[in-house]
Amino acid sequence: MVIRVSGALRGTDASQAWIVDGRLTFEAPHPGVPNEEIAGFAYPGLLDVHTHPGMRRTPEPLPVAKMRRRLEVLARHGITAVRDAGGQHDPKAAWEPGLARVMHSGQHIARFKRYERYLAVDVEPADLPGEALRQLRRGDGWIKIVGDWIDREVGDTTPLWPRATLIDAVAAVHDAGGKVTVHTFATETVDDLLEAGVDGIEHGTGMTRDHLLEAAARGILVTPTVHQIRRFPEFAAKGARFPAYVKRMMGMDARRREHLALMVETGTHVLMGSDTAENVAEVNLVDELIDAVDDGMPAGLVMAAATYDGRARIGFDVWAQGEPADLVVYREDPEDNIETLREPVAVFASGVRVV
């Protein structure tokens, strides 16, 4: 089977490409070979760098069938690659062609009683470097550390780790050839992360202008998780008995649009991630990208970060000659109308057409 894709092929200078027996090529097949024609606005498949297809919020094992179902749902929405940013299980156990490809980051690492139950491996600071290396061996080059969370004794979000501990853990992972991304909401955490030399920051709502400039200069990848940040009033309501926490969360919510604009202005290296898990049929990266544009991020930047630019930064292929086709096509230009993302006309995931 030969399929010709033509129109605007974003992330490449080519104006057409072919999918021959599931593989991408820019070389026209022999004349006379029957083609299906797909014309429109084509991108390498969407990449969600912050989702959790291997996560379960209870202590029981997550069935492989449920992970497969999540990866199947993602692919149908045009999301053909994910970085599993922390989960008890490796979703690659469920993977097959036609599903979203997975880059596993091991399990969240947190401190005892300082994160959500069941989600993380809980360690004391002295054990963080060793656990970081253990999670690196479980994954595909990235690990995920929880940098701050609500401290019920303080009544506010505070850093989990001493700076020296973070420095040692990040250095250990780097020496082993891996990369570290860290969850953070709080401003107080960010200086430690920059000093430690982390590779990624998730959410980053507490980052100041100087933080963002420094992160950009160091090439640190920042995932704003807009849809999740829109839930800060909900989080504040759940923590209503902690006035300092409520004030912090509501203040960050009030500055949400301003903070995204600051990311754009400072040249932050943005990735796009939905921070979803079991709910991907209802909310996924498509909603994240629409929310990001609605909150003021340029659609061109958002689409690049979610496709060719983000994939190149993380290590997924981009319009790779001879590789299984991994792309999504839209009839209208998402950079003119971001809602177009809800209706892809074609999706190929690892060479298999799923839409």
Side-chain angles (χ1 to χ4, degrees):
M1 180 65 180
V2 176
I3 299 172
R4 177 175 174 262
V5 180
S6 63
L9 276 57
R10 299 273 164 74
T12 176
D13 293 331
S15 60
Q16 58 185 345
W18 289 264
I19 300 170
V20 181
D21 296 329
R23 293 188 177 272
L24 181 72
T25 180
F26 294 99
E27 300 173 1
H30 190 276
V33 174
N35 290 328
E36 178 183 349
E37 302 281 339
I38 300 176
F41 298 85
Y43 294 81
L46 300 177
L47 165 66
D48 189 337
V49 301
H50 190 132
T51 186
H52 306 281
M55 176 187 290
R56 186 164 192 163
R57 298 182 185 277
T58 61
E60 297 82 16
L62 180 64
V64 169
K66 287 195 174 182
M67 290 190 284
R68 183 176 293 117
R69 175 62 176 164
R70 293 175 186 178
L71 299 178
E72 178 185 310
V73 169
L74 292 169
R76 288 207 316 269
H77 284 84
I79 304 155
T80 64
V82 302
R83 183 182 63 179
D84 175 24
Q88 299 96 319
H89 305 282
D90 186 346
K92 292 196 302 298
W95 187 84
E96 59 189 31
L99 305 182
R101 292 160 61 193
V102 176
M103 181 179 289
H104 185 46
S105 301
Q107 192 169 354
H108 294 79
I109 308 174
R111 291 184 69 171
F112 291 93
K113 298 183 179 180
R114 288 296 309 278
Y115 194 50
E116 296 185 53
R117 292 184 68 188
Y118 309 124
L119 301 190
V121 176
D122 297 320
V123 299
E124 293 298 346
D127 298 321
L128 179 61
E131 186 59 39
L133 289 174
R134 191 175 81 85
Q135 293 304 322
L136 182 63
R137 289 191 292 270
R138 292 184 59 199
D140 301 308
W142 285 84
I143 68 160
K144 172 75 172 293
I145 296 174
V146 179
D148 52 54
W149 199 254
I150 189 167
D151 184 335
R152 288 165 177 79
E153 293 184 4
V154 176
D156 197 4
T157 295
T158 63
L160 267 67
W161 314 101
R163 177 179 293 190
T165 297
L166 279 171
I167 290 173
D168 289 346
V170 173
V173 171
H174 286 173
D175 288 346
K179 295 183 178 181
V180 179
T181 195
V182 181
H183 161 103
T184 176
F185 289 155
T187 300
E188 297 89 333
T189 309
V190 181
D191 283 335
D192 294 345
L193 302 184
L194 296 176
E195 184 66 24
V198 300
D199 304 281
I201 291 176
E202 308 302 305
H203 316 298
T205 47
M207 298 177 77
T208 65
R209 179 187 181 85
D210 286 345
H211 288 150
L212 290 170
L213 287 169
E214 182 67 17
R218 295 182 180 218
I220 295 171
L221 306 174
V222 180
T223 309
T225 62
V226 179
H227 187 85
Q228 188 76 325
I229 302 313
R230 285 183 167 198
R231 298 180 61 200
F232 275 12
E234 174 189 335
F235 298 164
K238 290 180 178 178
R241 66 186 184 278
F242 303 118
Y245 173 75
V246 170
K247 181 179 179 181
R248 180 190 295 272
M249 302 305 283
M250 294 306 294
M252 290 189 293
D253 177 68
R255 297 188 298 274
R256 186 182 74 243
R257 287 173 173 266
E258 177 186 341
H259 198 253
L260 290 175
L262 196 57
M263 286 187 180
V264 175
E265 179 190 334
T266 55
T268 299
H269 305 295
V270 173
L271 298 175
M272 303 307 298
S274 63
D275 200 1
T276 51
E278 67 279 2
N279 58 335
V280 290
E282 293 78 38
V283 178
N284 54 59
L285 186 71
V286 169
D287 302 278
E288 172 70 18
L289 304 185
I290 291 170
D291 286 350
V293 173
D294 285 348
D295 277 0
M297 296 187 77
L301 182 153
V302 166
M303 289 304 299
T307 58
Y308 53 89
D309 187 49
R311 290 173 70 106
R313 291 183 187 277
I314 289 293
F316 285 104
D317 57 85
V318 178
W319 294 111
Q321 170 75 23
E323 293 297 316
D326 211 80
L327 58 92
V328 57
V329 185
Y330 304 98
R331 196 175 311 281
E332 298 180 46
D333 189 350
E335 297 178 26
D336 289 334
N337 176 14
I338 196 68
E339 289 283 346
T340 298
L341 296 182
R342 298 200 186 279
E343 298 181 352
V345 296
V347 177
F348 295 84
S350 298
V352 175
R353 186 168 184 177
V354 295
V355 173

